[in-house]
Amino acid sequence: HAGDEIAVFTQARLPQVYRDAGAFDRRAFLADQGIHLQATLRSSKLLAKIGTLPPSLRTRLARVRTRLRETLDAQFPGAPKVAGILRAMLLGDRSFVEREESLDFQKTGTFHVLVVAGLHIGALAVFLIWLSRKLRFPPSISTALFLVCLASYVAVVEQRAPVLRAGLMAAIVVIGGFFYRRLELLNSAALAALLLLIANPTLLRDTSFQLSFLAIGCIAGIGVPWIDERVQPYVRALRHWRDVSRDRSYTPRMTQLRLDIRDGMRLCGSIFPANLTTRAQDATARFVGAGFRIAELFVLSVILQVGMSPLMAGSFHRISLLGPLANLVAVPLVGIIVPLGLFSLATGLIVPPLGRALGYPLAWLVSLQSSAVSWFANLGHSSYRIPGPPGWIALAFFAALIAVALILRLGTSRNRWLFPVTLAFLATTTLVIATYPFRPQATRDALEATVLDVGQGDSILVVSPKGSTLLIDGGGAFQGFRGRQEHSGPDPGEDAVSAYLWSRGIRKLDAVALTHAHQDHVGGLTAVLQNFQVSRLLLGRETTAPAMIHLKELAAKLNVPVEYETDRKLFNWDGVEVEILWPHAAPEDVAPLAKNNDSLVVRLRYKERTMLLPGDAEKQVEYTMLNEDDLSALHADVLKVGHHGSKNSTMPEFLSAVNPQIAIISAGDENPYGHPSPELLSRLEDSKVRILRTDQQGAVQILTDGHTIHVNCFVACDPPLVELSRMQAPDDHQRNQ
């Protein structure tokens, strides 16, 4: 528990990081949370408690947090999904929200519901203010009680940027109200940001800080003025609609509205019995008022979706089309779930049976919210993934956003021509961000093969001289040793491969090929198929392996045609000669398990230069190809070394036949298999082959115009750009690098 001193026997490592352009920096992400090392504990016997530190405020808060989480779990023993969502909504712990459920909230633009922030703090604040009024506390006691409850909640939830921002703003507003000051929302947000940045200036680069204050800026700078000018006059006109003497205080349009309301209410009187007329009229007025409130929420949601689009596209690469509609359901439910959930949690600490009783309506509300979000998420084209906008578009967008806010502050009536022009410019930049109409980054009239760093796995992006794209494999999270599933890592398909493709401005892949259905090759393709428009999926030998079955089912769901590339194919691809050297198998020849030796072996030839990509093929396949083929047909200038540099691949005879000048090894840093093998490295060095490794150089890009080959690495090669015609055998310093 928090505060315990422990000793563990394990191998600690730095968190995994992918050395690719645009890749998610998990190491920095964890460092911001105070996590600097990771390890796998293979047995509880390797852990021992050696003492307990003197209790501190931090450990006490951590233990309170643990107690609350345990109480929440105990209230929903048969509904772990409900408990997981409530952990997120009430206590800021998203660890137990299932991936598919979390993805639904992301697709619908309602993920903020799972992040304790302004919405949750606001619901708690409204509840506390209502409670203090019902109990008729004097202002001083109400304010003190509010601040104590708020500070306690923020401390327990943990001090993250959205929580601190919302807590500070709520405290500023309540303190200002105590001194009879009506505070401006935008100023309150600015003061909260200033206090946080004084305490920690590095928050300025924190994504959650940026999103949190951009959201409140959109609400306070655009949403509130727009609603005050366009919606609130109608809401105010509904008040005391029966009082004719108040009509003179309204504008002619609002006065006409009040007259129309009275005419409509007279119609109600002719329909309902006399004793029900008043109630029917009041209900109708409340219904119309609720309609305006829904309109306000919809407008705020649209403004937030538009205002946050550059950061959402840049940081999360997602555009949600149904966010405003989904929020109409999700947000009001938060206003009920948060107060009821906190009350149920507090009751459960004191009287557990009563807490469990309150859990029944709470579970129903959470299930209703999840079902609604899932329904919106499963509607066709509810959201899509997209590359982040170029910097100049983002700057133009924010300039337009600020201009709209300034004009609304000054009043649109004073700027009748400027406001629509600025609004049109904002709409145009938003459309550009949402559609990304730019061409992908590619070198024309050159063949490119980029071996990505996906940890212990393979993923290669091939771009033809005309810009067509082929992705071979997608990497995959390490799932543990055979028979032991206690370890699973991040998803390189999302964090590395997709991120790299987005950094190149790629939205569509002309083809995705799978060499064989092992986890370190197929695991990341789920994210790739979901994130990009894939024209076709190319497979090698058919297998009944679960990973292959899952991939084909996903392809069918996404309407991606599946083709099989076996039995020696030779075809022209935008001027590149593509030859499938292995496997020799008919599509109806189904293997029960995925095997390394069923890997697709692909040879690319562009004019005078060739590349060989053998997947995980081992020595048996190599010797078979040596016996079947003319040895000159195996020659390649660039070899992607087979099976991550295993000692059972790239045998001396095969290496001699290929005779490459560049060898690229795709392997994970400190992987459990010891790849690349010292024997393999010795073979390559003896053959005077230039060695490049993804675990050292990161992504390795090979670019050729058909005559000269250029090499570029994410972590600088030595030299960073190399022409093949000028290359010499690497010296000892280069080998060490």
Side-chain angles (χ1 to χ4, degrees), residues 318-555:
R318 186 178 294 281
I319 297 295
S320 175
L321 300 178
L322 298 179
L325 294 176
N327 276 290
L328 289 179
V329 179
V331 171
L333 286 173
V334 171
I336 303 172
I337 290 171
V338 169
L340 179 59
L342 292 174
F343 181 69
S344 171
L345 188 55
T347 305
L349 289 171
I350 303 168
V351 187
L354 183 56
R356 285 193 291 272
L358 291 171
Y360 289 110
L362 188 59
W364 183 82
L365 289 169
V366 171
S367 299
L368 176 64
Q369 185 185 63
S370 298
S371 299
V373 169
S374 177
W375 185 81
F376 279 109
N378 290 322
L379 290 176
H381 308 292
S382 61
S383 73
Y384 58 92
R385 310 303 295 274
I386 198 165
W392 63 272
I393 283 290
L395 288 175
F397 172 88
F398 284 118
L401 193 71
I402 293 171
V404 168
L406 288 173
I407 293 172
L408 283 171
R409 287 275 162 177
L410 297 173
T412 56
S413 58
R414 300 180 184 178
N415 302 274
R416 293 186 180 278
W417 65 270
L418 185 59
F419 183 68
V421 170
T422 309
L423 205 58
F425 183 68
L426 178 63
T428 302
T429 53
T430 303
L431 187 63
V432 170
I433 290 169
T435 57
Y436 196 87
F438 308 103
R439 294 173 64 98
Q441 299 173 19
T443 303
R444 303 295 292 181
D445 301 320
L447 174 64
E448 174 199 333
T450 301
V451 182
L452 298 176
D453 175 19
V454 290
Q456 184 64 15
D458 266 12
S459 186
I460 306 168
L461 174 67
V462 182
V463 184
S464 77
K466 294 183 180 179
S468 299
T469 51
L470 164 66
L471 182 72
I472 303 176
D473 294 331
F478 171 54
Q479 294 295 315
F481 296 100
R482 181 169 296 179
R484 302 182 66 178
Q485 301 296 319
E486 72 277 3
H487 180 85
S488 61
D491 181 6
E494 176 74 24
D495 296 344
V497 180
S498 295
Y500 176 77
L501 296 176
W502 284 320
S503 76
R504 297 276 300 267
I506 294 173
R507 296 185 61 189
K508 177 183 176 182
L509 291 168
D510 295 290
V512 169
L514 173 65
T515 57
H516 64 298
H518 277 170
Q519 177 66 22
D520 56 339
H521 295 251
V522 69
L525 290 184
T526 297
V528 170
L529 290 184
Q530 290 173 338
N531 293 339
F532 297 88
Q533 300 173 33
V534 178
S535 298
R536 54 188 178 141
L537 176 63
L538 309 179
L539 303 177
R541 186 176 182 183
E542 178 68 288
T543 174
T544 56
M548 179 77 85
I549 293 172
H550 169 76
L551 188 68
K552 290 194 297 182
E553 288 176 349
L554 180 61

Side-chain angles (χ1 to χ4, degrees), residues 89-91 116 120-121 124 149-157 342:
M89 292 180 66
L90 303 180
L91 302 174
V116 177
H120 305 71
I121 297 292
L124 175 61
C149 291
L150 185 64
S152 301
Y153 181 65
V154 170
V156 168
V157 169
L342 292 174

Side-chain angles (χ1 to χ4, degrees), residues 636-641 658-664 684 688-692 700 702 709-711 722-724 727:
D637 302 300
V638 179
L639 171 67
K640 201 290 295 180
V641 174
V658 177
N659 191 26
Q661 295 198 41
I662 301 173
I664 305 171
L684 295 174
K688 306 208 182 295
V689 178
R690 173 70 186 274
I691 303 171
L692 296 171
V700 178
I702 303 295
I709 291 180
H710 296 274
V711 182
V722 182
E723 290 190 7
L724 180 62
M727 286 183 59

Side-chain angles (χ1 to χ4, degrees), residues 11 23 67 74-75 96 118 173 179 195 216 260 318 340 345 347 392 465 543 575 634 664 688 690 697:
Q11 182 176 7
R67 175 76 185 282
Q75 290 180 339
F96 292 86
V173 170
F179 290 104
L195 293 174
I216 196 64
D260 293 339
R318 186 178 294 281
L340 179 59
L345 188 55
T347 305
W392 63 272
T543 174
L634 292 176
I664 305 171
K688 306 208 182 295
R690 173 70 186 274
Q697 278 84 34

Side-chain angles (χ1 to χ4, degrees), residues 606-625:
Y606 183 50
K607 297 179 181 177
E608 301 172 7
R609 297 305 177 191
T610 52
M611 303 179 191
L612 186 62
L613 313 174
D616 275 2
E618 296 180 325
K619 57 185 178 183
Q620 294 91 336
V621 172
E622 293 177 356
Y623 287 134
T624 301
M625 290 191 295

Side-chain angles (χ1 to χ4, degrees), residues 167-234:
L168 279 173
M169 287 187 61
I172 290 168
V173 170
V174 169
I175 292 172
F178 177 73
F179 290 104
Y180 304 102
R181 296 290 186 270
R182 185 179 178 182
L183 299 182
E184 170 62 47
L185 184 59
L186 204 57
N187 291 343
S188 302
L191 180 57
L194 181 62
L195 293 174
L196 289 176
L197 290 174
I198 289 173
N200 183 7
T202 60
L203 281 175
L204 193 59
R205 60 178 176 82
D206 182 73
T207 302
S208 62
F209 178 90
Q210 296 169 4
L211 287 170
S212 181
F213 280 96
L214 177 59
I216 196 64
C218 290
I219 292 171
I222 296 179
V224 172
W226 182 286
I227 289 171
D228 283 345
E229 183 176 344
R230 305 282 178 168
V231 182
Q232 276 299 309
Y234 296 95

